[in-house]
Amino acid sequence: MDCGVITSKTVLVLLSIAFWAAAAGLSYVGGYVINTYKSYDNFLQDKYALLPAVIIICVAVVMFIIGLIGCCATLRESRVGLGLFLAIILVIFIAEVSAFVLGFVYREKVKTDVQGTMRSVFQKYDGKNPESTVVDYLQEQLHCCGVKNYSDWTTTQWFNSTGNNSVPLSCCRQGLSNCTGSLDQPQELNAQGCAEELESGLQSVLSYAMLVILGFAIVKFFGMLSICVLTCKREDSGYQPLYSGVFA
């Protein structure tokens, strides 16, 4: 067994281990993206925006299995096993590229999606229903008020019904215990609109996920290259494995 074969096998074993680590990392990223989107699902009508995260998690499960197959095939020096390893890596590579493209598409779509639904949710605010809970949570967590700014509340049914010229207390700046939400004291209210804050947060999450996907796709490319190098090396040198079959 020459140095090239040993090096190629070492690379593939390390790649198999990397598959397991990558599976754990992708599971975390996919779960984080889904959890973030679920926190604001009332503002997102297009549920296909979760598709990139679902693909990530599915890829993570497959990657764990593939890591096991790759390790066994490499250690057993199985040509069929290595071929299977290569084929599956190629499928995963295509899936990751697809997830990257979808992430890019929906990253741009987030802005129009949020803008198109947030106003309708704010219009349903009455201080008691589930939409009200979501709106208050959103404004408190993102330190924002209204869709574009606090003046958006003046067009809601809730504002007109109360007649006290004030916005929800969730619009108050953090740390102001005496804030009443009155529009007569705008300096006590969060000036930033929730649409911009939410768009920024969701786009940041998608950007992070896309970078992770791109990184793992590059790893898969080098893994496929290593298998090709090992296979070609064996054919050129006449090197034959001691084992036959896929894994034995």
Side-chain angles (χ1 to χ4, degrees):
M1 187 183 301
D2 60 27
C3 182
V5 173
I6 294 175
T7 302
S8 297
K9 290 182 66 175
T10 301
V11 169
L12 290 176
V13 170
L14 292 176
L15 179 61
S16 298
I17 296 175
F19 266 109
W20 295 327
L26 284 175
S27 297
Y28 172 79
V29 172
Y32 180 72
V33 172
I34 291 177
N35 184 63
T36 301
Y37 269 73
K38 281 186 175 180
S39 298
Y40 308 115
D41 60 353
N42 285 279
F43 302 103
L44 298 169
Q45 288 183 337
D46 191 352
K47 301 307 178 183
Y48 286 104
L50 286 173
L51 188 58
V54 174
I55 293 177
I56 292 174
I57 293 180
C58 292
V59 169
V61 173
V62 174
M63 285 176 67
F64 176 81
I65 299 174
I66 299 311
L68 183 63
I69 294 175
C71 185
C72 293
T74 302
L75 294 178
R76 292 287 184 175
E77 306 174 5
S78 169
R79 182 169 182 172
V80 176
L82 290 173
L84 178 61
F85 192 32
L86 174 62
I88 300 179
I89 290 178
L90 179 60
V91 172
I92 295 177
F93 178 80
I94 295 174
E96 288 177 336
V97 172
S98 300
F100 180 83
V101 173
L102 286 170
F104 181 80
V105 171
Y106 285 108
R107 181 178 181 274
E108 298 302 320
K109 198 175 185 301
V110 162
K111 183 175 182 179
T112 55
D113 192 13
V114 171
Q115 289 280 1
T117 58
M118 184 173 285
R119 288 190 182 279
S120 63
V121 175
F122 272 68
Q123 285 293 337
K124 297 177 182 178
Y125 187 94
D126 65 3
K128 301 177 182 178
N129 59 19
E131 287 82 1
S132 301
T133 302
V134 172
V135 169
D136 286 331
Y137 176 81
L138 178 72
Q139 294 189 144
E140 290 173 356
Q141 293 298 313
L142 299 183
H143 307 296
C144 59
C145 185
V147 179
K148 292 186 175 180
N149 53 57
Y150 58 80
S151 65
D152 292 321
W153 279 104
T154 61
T155 63
T156 63
Q157 295 180 356
W158 174 83
F159 180 87
N160 295 326
S161 64
T162 57
N164 56 10
N165 196 39
S166 64
V167 296
L169 295 179
S170 55
C171 280
C172 293
R173 291 180 180 274
Q174 191 174 18
L176 297 180
S177 57
N178 296 325
C179 176
T180 61
S182 174
L183 291 179
D184 295 329
Q185 296 177 312
Q187 70 277 5
E188 295 182 351
L189 306 177
N190 292 311
Q192 192 71 30
C194 294
E196 183 177 347
E197 292 292 326
L198 182 57
E199 291 164 10
S200 177
L202 294 177
Q203 288 182 348
S204 296
V205 170
L206 266 181
S207 296
Y208 171 71
M210 289 166 60
L211 287 175
V212 173
I213 292 172
L214 180 61
F216 285 124
I218 293 174
V219 172
K220 303 303 180 304
F221 174 78
F222 283 106
M224 292 187 291
L225 184 61
S226 297
I227 294 176
C228 292
V229 170
L230 178 60
T231 303
C232 293
K233 184 68 176 180
R234 287 174 52 195
E235 289 178 350
D236 293 340
S237 62
Y239 172 75
Q240 296 295 329
L242 297 176
Y243 302 95
S244 60
V246 179
F247 300 120

Short mmCIF file of all heavy atoms in Angstrom, two decimals, residues 66 69 80-92 220-221 223-228 231:
data_model
loop_
_atom_site.label_atom_id
_atom_site.label_comp_id
_atom_site.label_asym_id
_atom_site.label_seq_id
_atom_site.Cartn_x
_atom_site.Cartn_y
_atom_site.Cartn_z
N ILE A 66 -24.35 8.23 6.55
CA ILE A 66 -23.32 8.19 5.53
C ILE A 66 -21.92 8.14 6.14
O ILE A 66 -21.01 7.49 5.63
CB ILE A 66 -23.42 9.41 4.59
CG1 ILE A 66 -24.78 9.40 3.90
CG2 ILE A 66 -22.32 9.39 3.55
CD1 ILE A 66 -25.15 8.08 3.29
N ILE A 69 -21.31 4.57 6.93
CA ILE A 69 -21.04 3.82 5.71
C ILE A 69 -19.64 4.12 5.18
O ILE A 69 -18.88 3.23 4.80
CB ILE A 69 -22.10 4.13 4.64
CG1 ILE A 69 -23.47 3.62 5.07
CG2 ILE A 69 -21.71 3.52 3.29
CD1 ILE A 69 -24.59 3.99 4.13
N VAL A 80 -17.08 -1.29 -3.93
CA VAL A 80 -18.53 -1.05 -4.02
C VAL A 80 -18.96 -0.07 -2.94
O VAL A 80 -19.76 0.85 -3.17
CB VAL A 80 -19.31 -2.37 -3.90
CG1 VAL A 80 -20.81 -2.10 -3.90
CG2 VAL A 80 -18.94 -3.31 -5.03
N GLY A 81 -18.43 -0.26 -1.75
CA GLY A 81 -18.77 0.64 -0.65
C GLY A 81 -18.32 2.06 -0.91
O GLY A 81 -19.05 3.02 -0.63
N LEU A 82 -17.12 2.20 -1.46
CA LEU A 82 -16.63 3.53 -1.79
C LEU A 82 -17.47 4.18 -2.89
O LEU A 82 -17.71 5.39 -2.88
CB LEU A 82 -15.16 3.46 -2.22
CG LEU A 82 -14.14 3.15 -1.12
CD1 LEU A 82 -12.75 2.93 -1.70
CD2 LEU A 82 -14.12 4.27 -0.09
N GLY A 83 -17.90 3.34 -3.84
CA GLY A 83 -18.77 3.87 -4.89
C GLY A 83 -20.09 4.35 -4.32
O GLY A 83 -20.62 5.41 -4.73
N LEU A 84 -20.64 3.59 -3.36
CA LEU A 84 -21.87 3.99 -2.71
C LEU A 84 -21.66 5.27 -1.90
O LEU A 84 -22.50 6.18 -1.92
CB LEU A 84 -22.35 2.86 -1.78
CG LEU A 84 -23.62 3.14 -0.96
CD1 LEU A 84 -24.80 3.38 -1.89
CD2 LEU A 84 -23.89 1.98 -0.01
N PHE A 85 -20.52 5.35 -1.24
CA PHE A 85 -20.16 6.53 -0.47
C PHE A 85 -20.11 7.77 -1.38
O PHE A 85 -20.63 8.83 -1.06
CB PHE A 85 -18.82 6.30 0.22
CG PHE A 85 -18.47 7.32 1.27
CD1 PHE A 85 -19.44 7.93 2.03
CD2 PHE A 85 -17.14 7.65 1.50
CE1 PHE A 85 -19.11 8.87 3.00
CE2 PHE A 85 -16.80 8.57 2.48
CZ PHE A 85 -17.79 9.18 3.23
N LEU A 86 -19.49 7.60 -2.54
CA LEU A 86 -19.38 8.69 -3.49
C LEU A 86 -20.76 9.13 -4.00
O LEU A 86 -21.05 10.33 -4.09
CB LEU A 86 -18.50 8.28 -4.67
CG LEU A 86 -18.40 9.27 -5.84
CD1 LEU A 86 -17.78 10.58 -5.36
CD2 LEU A 86 -17.58 8.66 -6.98
N ALA A 87 -21.60 8.15 -4.32
CA ALA A 87 -22.93 8.47 -4.84
C ALA A 87 -23.77 9.24 -3.82
O ALA A 87 -24.45 10.21 -4.16
CB ALA A 87 -23.65 7.18 -5.25
N ILE A 88 -23.70 8.81 -2.57
CA ILE A 88 -24.50 9.47 -1.54
C ILE A 88 -23.96 10.86 -1.23
O ILE A 88 -24.73 11.79 -0.99
CB ILE A 88 -24.55 8.62 -0.26
CG1 ILE A 88 -25.18 7.26 -0.58
CG2 ILE A 88 -25.35 9.31 0.82
CD1 ILE A 88 -25.25 6.32 0.58
N ILE A 89 -22.63 11.00 -1.23
CA ILE A 89 -22.05 12.32 -1.03
C ILE A 89 -22.52 13.28 -2.12
O ILE A 89 -22.83 14.45 -1.87
CB ILE A 89 -20.50 12.25 -1.02
CG1 ILE A 89 -20.01 11.54 0.24
CG2 ILE A 89 -19.91 13.65 -1.07
CD1 ILE A 89 -18.51 11.40 0.29
N LEU A 90 -22.60 12.76 -3.35
CA LEU A 90 -23.05 13.59 -4.46
C LEU A 90 -24.49 14.04 -4.26
O LEU A 90 -24.84 15.21 -4.52
CB LEU A 90 -22.92 12.80 -5.77
CG LEU A 90 -23.38 13.52 -7.05
CD1 LEU A 90 -22.57 14.80 -7.26
CD2 LEU A 90 -23.25 12.60 -8.25
N VAL A 91 -25.35 13.12 -3.78
CA VAL A 91 -26.75 13.47 -3.53
C VAL A 91 -26.85 14.54 -2.45
O VAL A 91 -27.60 15.52 -2.57
CB VAL A 91 -27.55 12.22 -3.11
CG1 VAL A 91 -28.95 12.61 -2.65
CG2 VAL A 91 -27.63 11.23 -4.27
N ILE A 92 -26.06 14.36 -1.38
CA ILE A 92 -26.08 15.34 -0.29
C ILE A 92 -25.56 16.69 -0.78
O ILE A 92 -26.09 17.75 -0.42
CB ILE A 92 -25.22 14.85 0.90
CG1 ILE A 92 -25.85 13.59 1.50
CG2 ILE A 92 -25.10 15.94 1.97
CD1 ILE A 92 -25.04 12.99 2.62
N LYS A 220 -17.93 18.44 1.17
CA LYS A 220 -18.39 17.30 0.38
C LYS A 220 -17.65 17.23 -0.96
O LYS A 220 -17.34 16.14 -1.44
CB LYS A 220 -19.90 17.43 0.09
CG LYS A 220 -20.78 17.54 1.29
CD LYS A 220 -20.62 16.37 2.23
CE LYS A 220 -21.55 16.57 3.40
NZ LYS A 220 -21.37 17.84 4.10
N PHE A 221 -17.38 18.38 -1.53
CA PHE A 221 -16.67 18.40 -2.81
C PHE A 221 -15.28 17.76 -2.67
O PHE A 221 -14.89 16.93 -3.50
CB PHE A 221 -16.53 19.84 -3.31
CG PHE A 221 -15.69 19.98 -4.54
CD1 PHE A 221 -16.21 19.66 -5.79
CD2 PHE A 221 -14.37 20.40 -4.46
CE1 PHE A 221 -15.43 19.77 -6.93
CE2 PHE A 221 -13.59 20.52 -5.59
CZ PHE A 221 -14.11 20.20 -6.83
N GLY A 223 -14.42 15.66 -0.40
CA GLY A 223 -14.61 14.24 -0.10
C GLY A 223 -14.80 13.44 -1.38
O GLY A 223 -14.22 12.35 -1.53
N MET A 224 -15.60 13.94 -2.31
CA MET A 224 -15.79 13.26 -3.59
C MET A 224 -14.47 13.19 -4.36
O MET A 224 -14.15 12.17 -5.00
CB MET A 224 -16.85 13.99 -4.42
CG MET A 224 -18.25 13.89 -3.84
SD MET A 224 -19.54 14.59 -4.92
CE MET A 224 -19.13 16.34 -4.80
N LEU A 225 -13.70 14.24 -4.27
CA LEU A 225 -12.40 14.26 -4.96
C LEU A 225 -11.46 13.21 -4.38
O LEU A 225 -10.75 12.51 -5.12
CB LEU A 225 -11.78 15.66 -4.83
CG LEU A 225 -10.47 15.89 -5.57
CD1 LEU A 225 -10.67 15.71 -7.08
CD2 LEU A 225 -9.93 17.29 -5.27
N SER A 226 -11.48 13.05 -3.06
CA SER A 226 -10.61 12.05 -2.41
C SER A 226 -10.98 10.63 -2.82
O SER A 226 -10.10 9.79 -3.04
CB SER A 226 -10.73 12.19 -0.88
OG SER A 226 -10.27 13.44 -0.45
N ILE A 227 -12.28 10.35 -2.93
CA ILE A 227 -12.70 9.02 -3.36
C ILE A 227 -12.24 8.75 -4.78
O ILE A 227 -11.78 7.65 -5.10
CB ILE A 227 -14.24 8.89 -3.25
CG1 ILE A 227 -14.67 8.96 -1.78
CG2 ILE A 227 -14.71 7.58 -3.87
CD1 ILE A 227 -16.17 8.94 -1.60
N CYS A 228 -12.38 9.74 -5.63
CA CYS A 228 -11.93 9.57 -7.02
C CYS A 228 -10.43 9.32 -7.09
O CYS A 228 -9.96 8.46 -7.85
CB CYS A 228 -12.29 10.81 -7.83
SG CYS A 228 -14.06 11.04 -8.09
N THR A 231 -9.75 5.71 -5.87
CA THR A 231 -10.17 4.72 -6.86
C THR A 231 -9.23 4.68 -8.05
O THR A 231 -8.83 3.59 -8.50
CB THR A 231 -11.60 5.03 -7.33
OG1 THR A 231 -12.48 5.07 -6.21
CG2 THR A 231 -12.09 3.96 -8.29
#
